[in-house]
Amino acid sequence: MRGAGAAVPGGVHAFLRGHDRRVRPMRAAQAALRRMRPEGFDGRCACGLRQRTRAAICLFPLRGFAGRPINECLKLERRVAMADKRKTRQTQLDETLLQRALNLARRGVGQTTPNPAVGAVIARGDRILGQGYHRRAGEPHAEIEALRDAGGPVRGATLYVTLEPCSHFGRTPPCADAIIRAGIARVVFPLRDPDPRVRGRGERRLRAAGIQVERGLLRDEAIALNESFLFFHATGRPLVTCKWAVTLDGQAAAASGDSKWISNAASRRYVHDLRGRSDAVLCGIGTVLVDNPSLTARGAGCRGRQPIRVIADAALRTPLGANCIHAQPGGPTWFLTTRVAPASRVRQFEAAGCRVLRVPGRRAIIDFSRAIAALGEQGVQSIFVEGGPSVHAALIRAGLCDRVVAFVAPKVIGTPPGWRRTPVYGWGRDRMRDALGLVHVRIRHFDGDVCIEGDLPALAGVFRRL
Amino acid sequence: MRGAGAAVPGGVHAFLRGHDRRVRPMRAAQAALRRMRPEGFDGRCACGLRQRTRAAICLFPLRGFAGRPINECLKLERRVAMADKRKTRQTQLDETLLQRALNLARRGVGQTTPNPAVGAVIARGDRILGQGYHRRAGEPHAEIEALRDAGGPVRGATLYVTLEPCSHFGRTPPCADAIIRAGIARVVFPLRDPDPRVRGRGERRLRAAGIQVERGLLRDEAIALNESFLFFHATGRPLVTCKWAVTLDGQAAAASGDSKWISNAASRRYVHDLRGRSDAVLCGIGTVLVDNPSLTARGAGCRGRQPIRVIADAALRTPLGANCIHAQPGGPTWFLTTRVAPASRVRQFEAAGCRVLRVPGRRAIIDFSRAIAALGEQGVQSIFVEGGPSVHAALIRAGLCDRVVAFVAPKVIGTPPGWRRTPVYGWGRDRMRDALGLVHVRIRHFDGDVCIEGDLPALAGVFRRL
C-alpha cells in the first residue's frame, strides 16, 4: 500500500475553487499533461472517494474538473500556485477590495430593480475610508453612499465599484461628476454599464478628468451579480430561463397527465427562490388548465418581492377563478393573447384586475418573439418560464430561450405503449450532434434531486461581449 | 458585515463525509433544529458558495445534506463530534484494522469471481502480525493468506476479516478450522456470508471453539465491496442494473433514431468501467439492429476481464456479422431466444462460436423472469443492461430491475410533433406518486454530464436483511 504519504489534504479543490475561472483549467491541464509524464497516484481526494490508479477520476463537481484524473488536478494546482506568486501585491489588494464591494452589492440584490445591484468601497492603500451599496431604485447610488460614508476628504483615494459609474441624470445626478468633484485619483471597476445612457460614457468622463481607470478585474463575479440587468440592456430583451422537471426516464408527467410532484420539497423551495429573483414568471394555457398553478414566490430568497404572473393564452381560455389570478401573495397577472381573444373576455379579465397584452400576429397562436419584446418594453428584465412542453419548444424554436434549469428526480415513472410526455414538444433536431449543447453547466443537489442549469451558447456570447 | 470570523474552514463537509451513513443526518438535523433557535450564518461553505442568510442552502452533494441550510450542517457536526468522543478506544481500533482489511480486499475486486473479494488482518492490540487478501478463485482465502503472512505464532490475536470465514470444503479447506487451529482468540467481521454452504455456519463453528466473535462493524462498506456476490447468494438470481442516457429534456435518441452520442467521452469511459465490473452485459435486438454495439469493456477498471455479451433476440434476427459477435477484445456472446427461433439459425450462431439459450415460454417474446434465472444458473452474478427502452420496461415490469444508472447530458434535442423517445417504453405508472422511487441515490459528475445511480427499494431490502 502506498499509504498516507500520498494523501491530498483537501487542498486541491479548496484551491481550485477560487481559481477555476481564471486559468481555464481544462486547457491548462491538457497543456500540463502534454509536458509531464503521467504517474500513478494513491491518495484520498477531497471528493471523498479513494483514488487508486492513475486513471482515478475526480468526482468533485467543479466546472471543467469533474471526471478529470486526480493527478491532473494536482499538476494544475502547482501551476496556479506559481501564477499566483507572480501576481503583484497591488492586484491582490485591488481584488480584495473589489470583492468587498461585490459582497456589499449582494445585499441589494432583488431590491434595486430596474437598477443593478452595485457596491462601492473607497480606500487609500489598504485602509478603507468609506463603503456603501445601492439599496433601492430612487435611493443614492453605491458610489454616493460610499462618499457619504467616508465623511471626510477622499482626495487621492481609490474607488472600487462593481459597475461603471453612471454619467446621466436619472432619478439621481451622475456619479461620475461626484467622483471627480471628490478628488478620487483612481477608479477600479469590473465592467462597463451596457445601459445605453452610460455605455462607456462614465469611463470616458473619468478619464477626461485625469482619473486613472482600471476595468476588467473580477468580471465574471460582477456579471453573475446582475445577469438580467446586463442582458436586458445589452440585447434589448428580457433574459428567458426555461425550467422543467423530469423523472430519471425523462418524463414530465405520468400517463394520466399527473405531474404532482416530480421534484421534491427541497427542489421546489429552490424554484420559489428562482421565481422570486425574476421579474416575471410565465406559463402556457395548457399548464394553467392542467395544474392550476399559483405562480407565486414563497421562497426565503424573495424578500417580499413577487414576480409578475404572465399567462400565454391565445384565446383567453383561462378560467376567471384560476389561482394565477387570485392566489396571494402574488404579483400582478398579465395575459399574452392574440387577435382571436373575444373583446368581452378581455373586459372580464381587466375587471378582475389583470392586464391583457394583445400580441400582434396574423395567426391564432402567440408569436413569442413579439410577446417577449412586448414584455421587455414594459421593463421586464427577466422571465422564468415554467412550461408546458409547447411553450418551451416555441421559445427554443424562436431562439429566445437563454438558459435552461432542469430538475431530474431519482424516480422512474415509465411510459405505457403509445404514451410519452417530455418537457420540450413541437421542436426537435434530427441528429444528436445537432442538439443544443448547454455551456457553463451548474449542477445542484437537493435531497437526491439534481438540478442541472446551463446557458445557451448565445447567452454566454452576450456576456463575453459585455 | 460579519466577515471572516464566521468562515467554515471546510471542516463541516470533511467531517460529514465519514459519518453520513451512521447518524442518519436528516433526522438528526431535524431533531437538532427543533431544539435550537436557528440563527443567521455568514461564512464560506466548503461547497464553494458564499452563504449569507439563515436560509442559505448547502449545495455540497452529500446524501441527505444537499439543499440543507448550512447552519443545520454546523449543528450536526457538533453532535457527531460528541458521539465520536463517546466511542471507546477499542471500537476505534477495530474500525481502523477492519478498514485496512477492506482496503486489502479491494485489491482483489474483479479477479475473484465467482468468489467474493475478501481481505484479512491479524493483529495483537494495535500491532499487525499479518495481512492478506483473496487474489483469485482457486487460490487461498484471505484468512489463510494472513495466517501465512504472520509466519509466527498468532495465539490470542484478533482476526479482522471482511466476510464471515467459510466452513465448507470448496477448492480450498474451510477457513474456520484453520483459524481455530491457529489459536485466534477473537474474530471481527462485518457480515455473514449468504452462500448457502456457509450462512452462519462459519460463525457458529468459531463460537463453538470458544472464539469471541463480533459481527456488524463497517457493514455498509463490506456490502458495497461484494454487492453482486451477496445479492446472488441471498436471492438466487443475478443483480440487474439498467443503464441509459438521456438529454436534459428526457430523450434517449434524436428524431432520426440517432443516439451517438448523448453522453460525453468521460461518461462513456465510466460505462466501460461498469461493464468491466459486471459478469454480463445485456441488450435487446432493437439496439443491436440500430446501434450495432460491440458490448466490450475498454475501461481502465476492467483489468483484462470481459463480460459475457448477452443479446435478447426472440427470433434470432441478429446479423451474423454483428459487432457483438466479432468485436475484440470481447467476452463470449450468448443469445437469449424463444421457441420461434429457427433451428437452422441456432446452428449458424453456434458455428460462429455463440451460445444460444432457448428461454421456455409459450409466446414469441422473451420471458425475462426465466431468462434472468437461466443466466443465474450459468453462474452469472451481475447483469448490466444497456437497453433499449422495451428491454428496460420488460425488466421493470417483471420486478427484475434492481438498480438504475442514468446519464443526463446537458443538451436539449427536442421532439418534433408526433415523435418522442424515452428510455423506458412499454411499462408505466398512472400517477406520479406511484413512480418507482430510487433509494441510496449516488450522483457523479463527468465533464458536465451527470450520472444518477439509485437502487430499487427491494434491492436495499435484500442488503438490509443480509
Side-chain angles (χ1 to χ4, degrees), chain B residues 67-292:
Chain B
R68 290 283 104 190
I70 194 67
N71 51 355
E72 283 186 36
C73 300
L74 281 173
K75 299 276 165 185
L76 187 75
E77 170 174 28
R78 269 174 240 142
R79 288 171 56 85
V80 177
M82 301 266 287
D84 256 21
K85 270 193 190 160
R86 286 192 293 268
K87 210 196 274 177
T88 65
R89 183 179 285 264
Q90 181 62 52
T91 316
Q92 277 175 13
L93 181 63
D94 284 354
E95 237 186 71
T96 306
L97 290 167
L98 192 53
Q99 191 63 63
R100 189 182 181 101
L102 285 164
N103 290 344
L104 286 164
R106 272 184 199 111
R107 299 194 185 184
V109 167
Q111 310 289 307
T112 58
T113 316
N115 291 354
V118 181
V121 170
I122 298 172
R124 187 170 281 132
D126 58 1
R127 204 161 65 79
I128 293 173
L129 307 176
Q131 60 183 25
Y133 67 97
H134 183 43
R135 287 165 195 273
R136 204 164 274 106
E139 296 197 12
H141 286 187
E143 300 90 323
I144 308 303
E145 286 273 359
L147 286 169
R148 274 188 202 166
D149 183 47
V154 295
R155 188 157 297 278
T158 301
L159 168 70
Y160 299 88
V161 58
T162 59
L163 196 65
E164 178 184 4
C166 71
S167 57
H168 64 287
F169 282 87
R171 280 193 264 184
T172 56
C175 295
D177 294 354
I179 294 166
I180 296 166
R181 258 199 320 275
I184 293 281
R186 183 164 166 263
V187 177
V188 178
F189 63 87
L191 77 166
R192 284 196 176 143
D193 183 347
D195 186 328
R197 296 168 298 180
V198 186
R199 220 172 263 183
R201 280 192 205 98
E203 182 178 340
R204 281 197 294 276
R205 192 178 292 197
L206 294 176
R207 283 191 197 279
I211 292 177
Q212 185 190 343
V213 174
E214 276 175 48
R215 178 161 48 87
L217 204 62
L218 299 184
R219 205 172 163 279
D220 291 350
E221 285 84 341
I223 290 174
L225 201 59
N226 289 302
E227 284 182 323
S228 43
F229 168 87
L230 297 168
F231 181 87
F232 180 76
H233 285 294
T235 66
R237 71 165 179 87
L239 181 78
V240 175
T241 302
C242 287
K243 171 248 153 185
W244 59 70
V246 287
T247 61
L248 210 48
D249 58 321
Q251 294 293 107
S256 63
D258 175 40
S259 64
K260 283 199 171 103
W261 295 104
I262 294 174
S263 49
N264 63 25
S267 297
R268 297 203 302 276
R269 271 200 296 277
Y270 181 59
V271 168
H272 279 281
D273 273 5
L274 292 176
R275 282 185 193 160
R277 286 188 230 156
S278 304
D279 288 349
V281 175
L282 186 152
C283 81
I285 176 64
T287 303
V288 169
L289 294 178
V290 172
D291 292 343
N292 193 16

Side-chain angles (χ1 to χ4, degrees), chain A residues 69-132:
Chain A
I70 193 68
N71 51 357
E72 282 184 36
C73 300
L74 280 173
K75 300 276 163 184
L76 187 73
E77 171 173 25
R78 268 174 241 142
R79 285 171 56 85
V80 176
M82 300 266 286
D84 258 18
K85 269 193 190 162
R86 285 193 294 268
K87 211 194 276 180
T88 66
R89 182 180 285 262
Q90 182 60 54
T91 317
Q92 278 175 13
L93 181 63
D94 285 352
E95 236 184 74
T96 307
L97 290 167
L98 192 54
Q99 190 66 62
R100 189 181 182 102
L102 285 164
N103 290 343
L104 286 164
R106 274 187 197 103
R107 300 196 184 179
V109 167
Q111 309 292 308
T112 59
T113 314
N115 292 351
V118 181
V121 170
I122 298 172
R124 186 171 280 134
D126 56 1
R127 203 162 63 82
I128 293 172
L129 306 177
Q131 59 183 27

Side-chain angles (χ1 to χ4, degrees), chain B residues 288-310:
Chain B
V288 169
L289 294 178
V290 172
D291 292 343
N292 193 16
S294 299
L295 300 178
T296 57
R298 298 180 294 272
C302 325
R303 306 190 187 184
R305 188 178 159 240
Q306 288 289 339
I308 300 163
R309 300 183 268 199
V310 182

Side-chain angles (χ1 to χ4, degrees), chain A residues 38 63 137 144 154 158 218 292 300 309-310 320 325 360 373 413 427 452:
Chain A
R63 186 188 312 167
I144 310 303
V154 296
T158 301
L218 300 183
N292 193 14
R309 302 182 267 199
V310 182
L320 276 166
I325 299 176
I413 185 75
W427 164 91
I452 303 174

Side-chain angles (χ1 to χ4, degrees), chain B residues 274-411:
Chain B
L274 292 176
R275 282 185 193 160
R277 286 188 230 156
S278 304
D279 288 349
V281 175
L282 186 152
C283 81
I285 176 64
T287 303
V288 169
L289 294 178
V290 172
D291 292 343
N292 193 16
S294 299
L295 300 178
T296 57
R298 298 180 294 272
C302 325
R303 306 190 187 184
R305 188 178 159 240
Q306 288 289 339
I308 300 163
R309 300 183 268 199
V310 182
I311 318 294
D313 183 357
L316 287 185
R317 292 187 292 145
T318 300
L320 275 166
N323 283 343
C324 61
I325 299 176
H326 299 287
Q328 289 303 332
T333 306
W334 295 6
F335 283 87
L336 297 171
T337 191
T338 65
R339 59 180 187 81
V340 302
S344 63
R345 196 85 182 129
V346 173
R347 278 193 301 275
Q348 283 176 331
F349 279 101
E350 286 174 345
C354 305
R355 193 163 163 189
V356 180
L357 303 174
R358 266 194 211 269
V359 183
R362 278 177 305 171
R363 295 197 302 161
I365 56 171
I366 289 169
D367 176 343
F368 273 102
S369 301
R370 290 181 174 185
I372 298 296
L375 291 172
E377 280 160 26
Q378 301 297 322
V380 172
Q381 294 184 353
S382 56
I383 306 176
F384 189 66
V385 182
E386 303 198 58
S390 314
V391 172
H392 295 145
L395 288 166
I396 292 173
R397 190 190 298 111
L400 293 166
C401 171
D402 301 306
R403 176 171 284 174
V404 172
V405 177
F407 291 86
V408 184
K411 53 180 78 162

